[in-house]
mmCIF file of all heavy atoms in Angstrom:
data_model
loop_
_atom_site.group_PDB
_atom_site.id
_atom_site.type_symbol
_atom_site.label_atom_id
_atom_site.label_comp_id
_atom_site.label_asym_id
_atom_site.label_seq_id
_atom_site.Cartn_x
_atom_site.Cartn_y
_atom_site.Cartn_z
ATOM 1 N N HIS Q 11 17.627 -9.027 19.724
ATOM 2 C CA HIS Q 11 17.188 -10.366 20.104
ATOM 3 C C HIS Q 11 15.772 -10.641 19.595
ATOM 4 O O HIS Q 11 15.494 -11.715 19.061
ATOM 5 C CB HIS Q 11 17.258 -10.528 21.624
ATOM 6 C CG HIS Q 11 16.771 -11.870 22.090
ATOM 7 N ND1 HIS Q 11 17.468 -13.027 21.837
ATOM 8 C CD2 HIS Q 11 15.644 -12.236 22.756
ATOM 9 C CE1 HIS Q 11 16.801 -14.053 22.327
ATOM 10 N NE2 HIS Q 11 15.686 -13.592 22.905
ATOM 11 N N ILE Q 16 12.081 -13.307 15.718
ATOM 12 C CA ILE Q 16 11.052 -13.200 14.670
ATOM 13 C C ILE Q 16 11.548 -13.791 13.359
ATOM 14 O O ILE Q 16 10.834 -14.534 12.689
ATOM 15 C CB ILE Q 16 10.615 -11.733 14.489
ATOM 16 C CG1 ILE Q 16 9.825 -11.272 15.714
ATOM 17 C CG2 ILE Q 16 9.781 -11.575 13.225
ATOM 18 C CD1 ILE Q 16 9.501 -9.816 15.720
ATOM 19 N N ILE Q 23 7.010 -16.851 7.242
ATOM 20 C CA ILE Q 23 7.025 -16.727 5.786
ATOM 21 C C ILE Q 23 5.746 -17.308 5.192
ATOM 22 O O ILE Q 23 5.239 -16.812 4.195
ATOM 23 C CB ILE Q 23 8.290 -17.378 5.193
ATOM 24 C CG1 ILE Q 23 8.458 -17.000 3.727
ATOM 25 C CG2 ILE Q 23 8.261 -18.886 5.337
ATOM 26 C CD1 ILE Q 23 8.873 -15.597 3.506
ATOM 27 N N PHE Q 26 2.875 -14.721 5.396
ATOM 28 C CA PHE Q 26 2.945 -13.711 4.349
ATOM 29 C C PHE Q 26 2.683 -14.310 2.975
ATOM 30 O O PHE Q 26 2.098 -13.646 2.119
ATOM 31 C CB PHE Q 26 4.294 -12.994 4.392
ATOM 32 C CG PHE Q 26 4.442 -12.122 5.597
ATOM 33 C CD1 PHE Q 26 5.332 -12.446 6.602
ATOM 34 C CD2 PHE Q 26 3.653 -10.996 5.745
ATOM 35 C CE1 PHE Q 26 5.444 -11.645 7.721
ATOM 36 C CE2 PHE Q 26 3.754 -10.195 6.863
ATOM 37 C CZ PHE Q 26 4.657 -10.523 7.853
ATOM 38 N N LYS Q 38 -5.447 -14.257 -10.735
ATOM 39 C CA LYS Q 38 -5.686 -15.631 -11.169
ATOM 40 C C LYS Q 38 -7.077 -15.761 -11.789
ATOM 41 O O LYS Q 38 -7.265 -16.515 -12.742
ATOM 42 C CB LYS Q 38 -5.527 -16.584 -9.994
ATOM 43 C CG LYS Q 38 -4.079 -16.693 -9.534
ATOM 44 C CD LYS Q 38 -3.932 -17.623 -8.358
ATOM 45 C CE LYS Q 38 -2.474 -17.682 -7.932
ATOM 46 N NZ LYS Q 38 -2.244 -18.590 -6.815
ATOM 47 N N LYS Q 53 -10.452 -11.518 -24.259
ATOM 48 C CA LYS Q 53 -9.599 -12.625 -23.848
ATOM 49 C C LYS Q 53 -8.169 -12.150 -23.617
ATOM 50 O O LYS Q 53 -7.560 -12.448 -22.588
ATOM 51 C CB LYS Q 53 -9.651 -13.711 -24.922
ATOM 52 C CG LYS Q 53 -9.065 -15.016 -24.522
ATOM 53 C CD LYS Q 53 -9.330 -16.033 -25.634
ATOM 54 C CE LYS Q 53 -8.847 -17.400 -25.216
ATOM 55 N NZ LYS Q 53 -9.154 -18.418 -26.200
ATOM 56 N N ASP Q 65 2.132 -10.632 -11.428
ATOM 57 C CA ASP Q 65 3.518 -10.160 -11.418
ATOM 58 C C ASP Q 65 3.740 -9.113 -10.332
ATOM 59 O O ASP Q 65 4.766 -9.114 -9.651
ATOM 60 C CB ASP Q 65 3.887 -9.580 -12.790
ATOM 61 C CG ASP Q 65 5.311 -9.076 -12.830
ATOM 62 O OD1 ASP Q 65 6.225 -9.846 -12.463
ATOM 63 O OD2 ASP Q 65 5.515 -7.904 -13.212
ATOM 64 N N PRO Q 70 9.154 -8.154 -4.819
ATOM 65 C CA PRO Q 70 9.422 -7.862 -3.402
ATOM 66 C C PRO Q 70 8.609 -6.657 -2.943
ATOM 67 O O PRO Q 70 8.454 -5.687 -3.684
ATOM 68 C CB PRO Q 70 10.916 -7.549 -3.377
ATOM 69 C CG PRO Q 70 11.468 -8.148 -4.619
ATOM 70 C CD PRO Q 70 10.355 -8.139 -5.628
ATOM 71 N N SER Q 82 -3.440 4.789 1.921
ATOM 72 C CA SER Q 82 -3.222 6.212 1.656
ATOM 73 C C SER Q 82 -4.387 6.819 0.881
ATOM 74 O O SER Q 82 -4.811 7.937 1.169
ATOM 75 C CB SER Q 82 -1.924 6.410 0.879
ATOM 76 O OG SER Q 82 -0.825 6.005 1.654
ATOM 77 N N GLU Q 85 -7.207 7.189 3.324
ATOM 78 C CA GLU Q 85 -6.944 8.311 4.224
ATOM 79 C C GLU Q 85 -7.150 9.645 3.529
ATOM 80 O O GLU Q 85 -7.784 10.561 4.077
ATOM 81 C CB GLU Q 85 -5.519 8.223 4.769
ATOM 82 C CG GLU Q 85 -5.197 9.283 5.787
ATOM 83 C CD GLU Q 85 -3.794 9.170 6.350
ATOM 84 O OE1 GLU Q 85 -2.993 8.348 5.851
ATOM 85 O OE2 GLU Q 85 -3.501 9.912 7.294
ATOM 86 N N MET Q 113 -7.865 22.049 13.939
ATOM 87 C CA MET Q 113 -8.288 20.891 13.173
ATOM 88 C C MET Q 113 -7.902 21.002 11.695
ATOM 89 O O MET Q 113 -7.461 20.031 11.080
ATOM 90 C CB MET Q 113 -9.801 20.691 13.310
ATOM 91 C CG MET Q 113 -10.305 19.422 12.669
ATOM 92 S SD MET Q 113 -9.583 17.914 13.325
ATOM 93 C CE MET Q 113 -10.364 17.848 14.918
ATOM 94 N N MET Q 121 -2.798 14.968 5.582
ATOM 95 C CA MET Q 121 -2.863 14.820 4.130
ATOM 96 C C MET Q 121 -1.458 14.734 3.540
ATOM 97 O O MET Q 121 -1.186 13.910 2.655
ATOM 98 C CB MET Q 121 -3.624 15.983 3.496
ATOM 99 C CG MET Q 121 -3.792 15.832 1.996
ATOM 100 S SD MET Q 121 -4.598 17.242 1.227
ATOM 101 C CE MET Q 121 -6.233 17.059 1.866
ATOM 102 N N CYS Q 123 1.200 13.627 5.069
ATOM 103 C CA CYS Q 123 1.738 12.308 5.435
ATOM 104 C C CYS Q 123 1.159 11.211 4.546
ATOM 105 O O CYS Q 123 1.868 10.277 4.154
ATOM 106 C CB CYS Q 123 1.456 12.015 6.900
ATOM 107 S SG CYS Q 123 2.391 13.044 8.039
ATOM 108 N N ASN Q 127 3.322 8.776 2.117
ATOM 109 C CA ASN Q 127 3.217 7.319 2.150
ATOM 110 C C ASN Q 127 2.825 6.769 0.783
ATOM 111 O O ASN Q 127 3.334 5.732 0.352
ATOM 112 C CB ASN Q 127 2.201 6.899 3.206
ATOM 113 C CG ASN Q 127 2.263 5.432 3.513
ATOM 114 O OD1 ASN Q 127 3.325 4.846 3.598
ATOM 115 N ND2 ASN Q 127 1.104 4.824 3.680
ATOM 116 N N TYR Q 136 10.517 0.312 -6.209
ATOM 117 C CA TYR Q 136 11.250 0.563 -7.445
ATOM 118 C C TYR Q 136 12.762 0.539 -7.191
ATOM 119 O O TYR Q 136 13.518 -0.067 -7.952
ATOM 120 C CB TYR Q 136 10.825 1.910 -8.041
ATOM 121 C CG TYR Q 136 11.655 2.338 -9.213
ATOM 122 C CD1 TYR Q 136 11.450 1.777 -10.472
ATOM 123 C CD2 TYR Q 136 12.648 3.300 -9.073
ATOM 124 C CE1 TYR Q 136 12.213 2.158 -11.549
ATOM 125 C CE2 TYR Q 136 13.426 3.685 -10.151
ATOM 126 C CZ TYR Q 136 13.210 3.119 -11.383
ATOM 127 O OH TYR Q 136 13.979 3.493 -12.452
ATOM 128 N N LYS Q 141 18.071 -2.291 -7.571
ATOM 129 C CA LYS Q 141 19.246 -2.894 -6.939
ATOM 130 C C LYS Q 141 19.314 -4.392 -7.203
ATOM 131 O O LYS Q 141 20.384 -4.945 -7.426
ATOM 132 C CB LYS Q 141 19.243 -2.643 -5.423
ATOM 133 C CG LYS Q 141 19.423 -1.208 -5.047
ATOM 134 C CD LYS Q 141 20.817 -0.738 -5.390
ATOM 135 C CE LYS Q 141 20.980 0.717 -4.947
ATOM 136 N NZ LYS Q 141 22.234 1.291 -5.376
ATOM 137 N N GLU Q 144 20.541 -5.042 -10.724
ATOM 138 C CA GLU Q 144 21.968 -4.783 -10.893
ATOM 139 C C GLU Q 144 22.781 -6.011 -10.535
ATOM 140 O O GLU Q 144 23.843 -6.233 -11.098
ATOM 141 C CB GLU Q 144 22.407 -3.604 -10.007
ATOM 142 C CG GLU Q 144 21.958 -2.260 -10.514
ATOM 143 C CD GLU Q 144 22.351 -1.146 -9.573
ATOM 144 O OE1 GLU Q 144 23.094 -1.396 -8.594
ATOM 145 O OE2 GLU Q 144 21.903 -0.006 -9.803
#
Side-chain angles (χ1 to χ4, degrees):
H11 178 69
I16 290 173
I23 192 72
F26 291 111
K38 291 179 181 181
K53 192 174 185 176
D65 180 52
S82 296
E85 184 179 8
M113 186 60 72
M121 183 183 290
C123 291
N127 193 40
Y136 172 78
K141 293 292 182 187
E144 286 177 7

